[in-house]
């Protein structure tokens, strides 16, 4: 069976869905791997490295896809896929896109829908990418900040430590806390899920937040934050507003699954910050946590606050992000692998498969992808 690895076509997408390391493993599983020429270049993986790992280098997407039974991608591919192929990617599909995959006879799996259960941890693309994004957010925040993170006592005087506030303490936020602490920042963080408070404290950061009866039940069964009431968000904003005025770097990571990111930093809060402060908004892909974030841009407000609203944060460390993403896909395929047939076998009743499978055998099977009735 042939596996096609495509060059990503979405603007600004630097990652690739297979690395020479995973290609070698696929070849070992008895697969033929075709890599579109230049697919790994933006991540630092050159064609010859894939060839050495056992792949064939295809001149273009059509050549890579010819006869492919498995297609590996980061984002939804634009090329026409072979009928019957299994597509793995972060497809971000809606009901219409799922219907198109079904009509094209493609079995599409959207890896960002993977359930956050222990058994799926090593295939969890959201976690692997969010962890790197949280790290990178702090590095870029430190780069944009005109002062230092650690307290420095020098003969010329003392440089105070930076006050760093992390909003949202999920996978990205916890890594942001750890990174900011390693750089010497004085770190605080907030979240709405009750479990996050202990995690924040265990990393040596201070918890800042509003808690009430509503926030005690702020977590869904899947581990995500729930959408909370307007009253709760108003109370949270009061606590945050007083704190944010004293912060030098604010890292925003808060998300609510399937919705626009909550607005946690208002224009008035930005105005209260000191000139030279930095807001890094890695929720920008989902609209941003800061009201003044311009997705894809860095803006400087009239009072001198820099807001970094870049999108695709994992793509800002493409080699590491591709390496982890590629391993996530390899683990998924190895887990659902029929050794005798040398082909994937996705059991319909498996919780992981049920979580990611959008289409199967020409039909839309995912409950979230059914057309509105
Ligand atoms: P996410 O990216 O959906 O959200 C980021 C964080 O923002 C979350 O911690 C969320 O609680 C927080 N948030 C939402 N609204 C907020 C608000 N108004 N103010 C402050 N913070 C707010 O989350 P994630 O990083 O994908 O993690 C989701 C959950 O999944 C977590 O509970 C995590 O521990 C869990 N998880 C479990 C596994 C596993 O295998 N068991 C793996 C990865 C993640």
């Amino acid at each position: 069976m042939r596996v096609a690895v495509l060059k990503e076509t979405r603007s600004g997408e630097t990652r690739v869905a297979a690395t020479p390391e995973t290609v070698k493993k696929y070849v070992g599983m008895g697969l033929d791997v075709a890599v579109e020429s230049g697919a790994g270049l933006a991540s630092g993986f050159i064609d010859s490295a894939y060839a050495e790992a056992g792949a064939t280098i295809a001149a273009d997407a059509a050549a890579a896809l010819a006869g492919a039974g498995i297609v590996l991608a980061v984002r939804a591919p634009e090329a026409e896929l072979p009928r019957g192929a299994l597509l793995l990617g972060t497809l971000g599909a809606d009901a219409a896109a799922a219907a198109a995959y079904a009509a094209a006879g493609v079995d599409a799996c959207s890896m960002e829908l993977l359930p956050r259960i222990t058994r799926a941890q090593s295939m969890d693309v959201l976690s692997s990418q969010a962890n790197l994004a949280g790290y990178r957010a702090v590095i870029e925040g430190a780069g944009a900040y005109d002062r230092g993170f650690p307290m420095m006592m020098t003969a010329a005087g003392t440089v105070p430590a930076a006050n760093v506030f992390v909003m949202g303490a999920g996978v990205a936020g916890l890594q942001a806390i750890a990174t900011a602490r390693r750089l010497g920042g004085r770190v605080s963080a907030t979240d709405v899920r009750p479990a996050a408070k202990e995690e924040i404290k265990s990393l040596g950061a201070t918890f800042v937040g509003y808690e009430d009866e509503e926030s005690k039940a702020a977590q869904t069964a899947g581990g995500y934050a729930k959408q909370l009431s307007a009253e709760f968000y108003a109370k949270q904003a009061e606590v945050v507003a007083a704190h944010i005025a004293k912060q030098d770097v604010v890292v925003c990571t808060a998300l609510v699954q399937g919705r626009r990111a909550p607005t946690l930093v208002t224009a008035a809060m930005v105005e209260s910050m000191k000139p030279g402060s930095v807001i890094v908004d890695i929720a920008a892909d989902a609209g941003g946590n800061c009201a003044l974030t311009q997705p894809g841009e860095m803006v400087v407000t009239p009072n001198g606050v820099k807001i970094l609203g870049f999108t695709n944060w994992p793509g800002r460390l493409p080699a590491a992000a591709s390496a982890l993403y590629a391993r996530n896909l390899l683990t998924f395929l190895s887990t659902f692998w029929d050794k005798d047939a040398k082909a994937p076998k996705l059991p319909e009743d498996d919780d992981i498969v049920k979580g990611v499978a959008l289409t199967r055998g020409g039909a839309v099977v995912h409950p979230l992808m059914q057309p509105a009735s």
Side-chain angles (χ1 to χ4, degrees):
M1 180 175 273
R2 170 178 266 215
V3 183
V5 180
L6 298 180
K7 185 171 166 177
E8 296 297 316
T9 50
R10 186 188 291 202
S11 157
E13 186 49 80
T14 49
R15 294 169 292 169
V16 60
T19 58
E21 176 197 300
T22 61
V23 163
K24 210 170 182 175
K25 296 268 169 48
Y26 290 128
V27 172
M29 286 158 70
L31 290 160
D32 293 327
V33 185
V35 176
E36 183 181 351
S37 180
L41 200 54
S43 295
F45 303 113
I46 56 176
D47 285 354
S48 59
Y50 286 107
E52 272 169 41
T56 317
I57 306 302
D60 53 24
L65 287 166
I70 302 171
V71 180
L72 304 182
V74 178
R75 309 280 192 159
E78 286 169 8
E80 195 179 320
L81 307 183
R83 285 197 86 76
L86 170 68
L87 167 65
L88 303 185
T90 49
L91 307 177
D94 54 16
Y101 286 125
V106 171
D107 288 357
C109 289
S110 215
M111 299 301 290
E112 76 278 14
L113 299 175
L114 200 85
R116 312 302 282 275
I117 53 176
T118 308
R119 190 165 66 90
Q121 246 169 355
S122 50
M123 330 168 184
D124 187 340
V125 296
L126 286 185
S127 290
S128 74
Q129 305 301 291
N131 183 39
L132 294 171
Y135 161 81
R136 186 72 184 197
V138 173
I139 296 301
E140 298 210 22
Y145 183 49
D146 299 332
R147 298 158 198 263
F149 262 40
M151 184 175 84
M152 289 181 267
M153 293 167 87
T154 79
T158 299
V159 178
N163 288 324
V164 182
F165 182 38
V166 178
M167 306 190 76
V171 179
L174 292 175
Q175 181 57 258
I177 294 170
T179 305
R181 293 259 305 146
R182 283 196 290 265
L183 285 179
R186 198 182 301 130
V187 186
S188 57
T190 191
D191 203 302
V192 288
R193 289 179 299 106
K197 185 175 178 181
E198 284 316 307
E199 288 166 351
I200 289 168
K201 288 202 212 156
S202 73
L203 288 174
T206 313
F207 175 78
V208 174
Y210 173 74
E211 296 166 276
D212 65 8
E213 285 305 310
E214 188 179 354
S215 64
K216 280 186 193 150
Q219 183 159 322
T220 65
Y224 290 104
K226 280 186 193 158
Q227 177 79 9
L228 300 170
S229 68
E231 291 74 32
F232 177 88
Y233 286 127
K235 293 275 187 199
Q236 185 190 28
E238 261 175 51
V239 177
V240 163
H243 187 66
I244 235 170
K246 293 175 248 150
Q247 300 307 306
D248 299 303
V249 177
V250 177
V251 181
C252 301
T253 77
L255 294 175
V256 176
Q257 199 194 23
R259 291 179 179 262
R260 191 203 177 280
T263 303
L264 304 178
V265 184
T266 61
M269 291 182 201
V270 177
E271 212 166 296
S272 77
M273 294 176 76
K274 292 173 289 223
S277 307
V278 179
I279 296 172
V280 188
D281 197 344
I282 65 171
D285 283 289
N289 290 147
C290 175
L292 302 185
T293 293
Q294 303 270 344
E297 310 282 334
M298 181 182 103
V299 293
V300 183
T301 64
N303 67 320
V305 177
K306 290 179 193 160
I307 305 173
L308 276 56
F310 307 139
T311 49
N312 191 13
W313 283 85
R316 299 179 85 82
L317 341 59
S322 299
L324 298 189
Y325 181 82
R327 280 185 215 148
N328 290 146
L329 297 193
L330 171 68
T331 307
F332 179 85
L333 275 176
S334 324
T335 303
F336 301 111
W337 190 247
D338 183 334
K339 281 201 183 89
D340 299 325
K342 291 197 172 58
K345 189 174 175 189
L346 307 187
E348 281 174 48
D349 57 351
D350 185 284
D351 284 340
I352 296 175
V353 174
K354 279 198 278 188
V356 298
L358 304 183
T359 54
R360 183 194 282 272
V364 176
V365 292
H366 201 287
L368 295 175
M369 301 293 154
Q370 301 302 331
S373 53

